[in-house]
Amino acid sequence: MLSDRQRMILNAIVDDYIRSAEPVGSRSISKRGDVGFSPATIRNEMADLEELGYLEQPHTSAGRIPSIKGYRYYVDHLLKLGVDDHDLNAVRSFMADKMNQMEQVIQHAASVLSNLTNYTSILLGPEMFSNSLKHFGLVPLGDDSAVAIIVTNTGHVENRTISLPPGVKMEDMEKVVEVLNKKLIGVPLIRLKSKLHSEVGQELERYVDHCEDIIDVLGRALQNDNDHRVFLSGTTNMLTQPEFKDVDKVKTILDLLDETPTIMKMFTALPSGIQVRIGTENAHEAIANCSLITATYSADGKSLGTIGILGPTRMDYGKVISLLDVISKDMAVMMARWYK
């Protein structure tokens, strides 16, 4: 449990480091009007905070920087939220724009967020979460091929030609279709493949041979092409952050942002509401030096999509969380007109 003085000093160090990107010393903290302690007192408390794991000391500096644990404490206990007038006016201007297409709304929201924060914004569009499987069918074309028919709950129909695995007869595939419609109806398109390899695979093993080959073929047939439903803005903003002067480090992040399936997996595993993942709390190694803040937007209690901001761990958490809170609520209002 941190003392009030330790909390005040940790708060000051995080605030200064977010603003300056330079290690923070006791003398600069003592000059702040809201602290009021001598440099010697602050040095002692900084040493204790370092020992407790809330601060780190770069080898080349006498100052300290927050650790992942320090940022987490700051976000959970010390953060002050709020949107300044300039940012709020930008959000209101976004809301006032007359946009008649869902994709236009999402693209514009991504651009507004990246411009206001100077970080990278990532938005997953509604159809990735709201579209689900209504019916799956197979129409034989011959002994070794068929047309897979995928019908969604919105009435969208896709036809894909598939090749049957060697040794698999059409009669076997009829049983496969029966199992698929039993297990996958109502499942969001984005989760079809994972369900296919788990629940469906276990069920099919009871009825047909060549189960693994069939699953592979079905996986390709049910592949949901959602690249156009992931919207990015400000991907090169990482280059402006002093933490990412290392070109190789930036390249791994930019490569990750090009991997739509990975981004989808990162976002679909997140709970609803606003979530903050700091540094190594992120599962993917490429962003172990970043923070990812996400917010969901909903209509009538139904999750429609997710907004995320990716930036350095030295992120302006108060500003980002406040903006995501405002924009996610505005997005819910705007999207509701398509889901009435």
Side-chain angles (χ1 to χ4, degrees), residues 56-91:
E56 296 173 350
Q57 184 174 25
H59 296 302
T60 57
S61 171
R64 306 298 203 284
I65 64 174
S67 65
I68 300 301
K69 182 179 178 180
Y71 281 123
R72 173 48 63 189
Y73 190 91
Y74 173 83
V75 168
D76 291 344
H77 302 288
L78 306 175
L79 193 62
K80 296 179 178 65
L81 300 178
V83 181
D84 64 30
D85 290 341
H86 173 269
D87 293 343
L88 194 56
N89 288 335
V91 174

Side-chain angles (χ1 to χ4, degrees), residues 18-29:
I18 287 173
R19 186 179 62 254
S20 70
E22 296 290 339
V24 182
S26 57
R27 185 169 296 279
S28 65
I29 295 298

Side-chain angles (χ1 to χ4, degrees), residues 30-321:
S30 68
K31 292 178 181 178
R32 289 174 54 124
D34 58 341
V35 175
F37 303 118
S38 69
T41 298
I42 294 171
R43 273 196 301 274
N44 289 335
E45 295 290 12
M46 288 172 71
D48 289 343
L49 287 168
E50 182 179 0
E51 188 174 337
L52 290 168
Y54 293 97
L55 298 178
E56 296 173 350
Q57 184 174 25
H59 296 302
T60 57
S61 171
R64 306 298 203 284
I65 64 174
S67 65
I68 300 301
K69 182 179 178 180
Y71 281 123
R72 173 48 63 189
Y73 190 91
Y74 173 83
V75 168
D76 291 344
H77 302 288
L78 306 175
L79 193 62
K80 296 179 178 65
L81 300 178
V83 181
D84 64 30
D85 290 341
H86 173 269
D87 293 343
L88 194 56
N89 288 335
V91 174
R92 286 173 176 164
S93 175
F94 159 63
M95 282 293 292
D97 285 344
K98 302 298 182 184
M99 290 174 284
N100 299 316
Q101 296 181 2
M102 189 183 300
E103 289 190 9
Q104 189 181 8
V105 171
I106 298 171
Q107 288 173 331
H108 193 37
S111 178
V112 168
L113 278 171
S114 63
N115 288 336
L116 290 178
T117 62
N118 202 32
Y119 304 135
T120 300
S121 63
I122 308 167
L123 277 78
L124 269 62
E127 291 186 16
M128 298 187 69
F129 298 96
S130 59
N131 281 10
S132 60
L133 185 68
K134 182 178 181 181
H135 177 74
F136 180 81
L138 278 181
V139 177
L141 294 177
D143 293 335
D144 58 358
S145 62
V147 174
I149 302 172
I150 299 117
V151 184
T152 74
N153 61 320
T154 60
H156 179 68
V157 180
E158 287 191 29
N159 301 321
R160 298 174 186 175
T161 301
I162 63 171
S163 298
L164 302 183
V168 174
K169 298 179 181 179
M170 197 60 208
E171 304 90 82
D172 296 328
M173 295 304 292
E174 290 173 0
K175 184 61 184 178
V176 170
V177 170
E178 181 183 331
V179 171
L180 281 178
N181 283 305
K182 175 184 173 184
K183 291 286 186 179
L184 297 183
I185 297 304
V187 173
L189 299 185
I190 193 172
R191 297 190 174 95
L192 283 180
K193 285 195 74 175
S194 62
K195 288 276 189 180
L196 179 67
H197 285 276
S198 55
E199 297 179 20
V200 175
Q202 295 170 6
E203 182 84 4
L204 285 180
E205 287 178 350
R206 305 179 190 175
Y207 302 107
V208 296
D209 297 326
H210 309 286
C211 184
E212 289 187 8
D213 294 334
I214 293 173
I215 291 292
D216 286 342
V217 169
L218 292 175
R220 289 192 291 273
L222 293 172
Q223 179 67 44
N224 186 32
D225 183 13
N226 277 306
D227 285 20
H228 64 294
R229 293 295 166 196
V230 176
F231 299 85
L232 302 174
S233 183
T235 53
T236 58
N237 283 346
M238 287 291 181
L239 299 172
T240 68
Q241 304 297 335
E243 292 92 334
F244 300 111
K245 292 178 181 177
D246 185 334
V247 176
D248 291 334
K249 186 183 293 185
V250 175
K251 186 177 183 302
T252 60
I253 298 172
L254 296 180
D255 287 344
L256 172 66
L257 294 175
D258 280 338
E259 297 175 13
T260 299
T262 304
I263 293 175
M264 288 161 47
K265 185 176 180 182
M266 285 165 47
F267 274 57
T268 53
L270 293 169
S272 60
I274 292 181
Q275 303 295 325
V276 182
R277 291 191 174 181
I278 304 170
T280 51
E281 294 174 1
N282 291 295
H284 205 286
E285 186 178 352
I287 54 172
N289 294 308
C290 301
S291 286
L292 176 65
I293 304 180
T294 59
T296 53
Y297 53 96
S298 307
D300 295 328
K302 183 178 183 179
S303 179
L304 298 181
T306 304
I307 310 169
I309 294 291
L310 182 69
T313 52
R314 185 192 52 83
M315 179 187 279
D316 191 339
Y317 293 94
K319 177 178 182 177
V320 171
I321 291 173

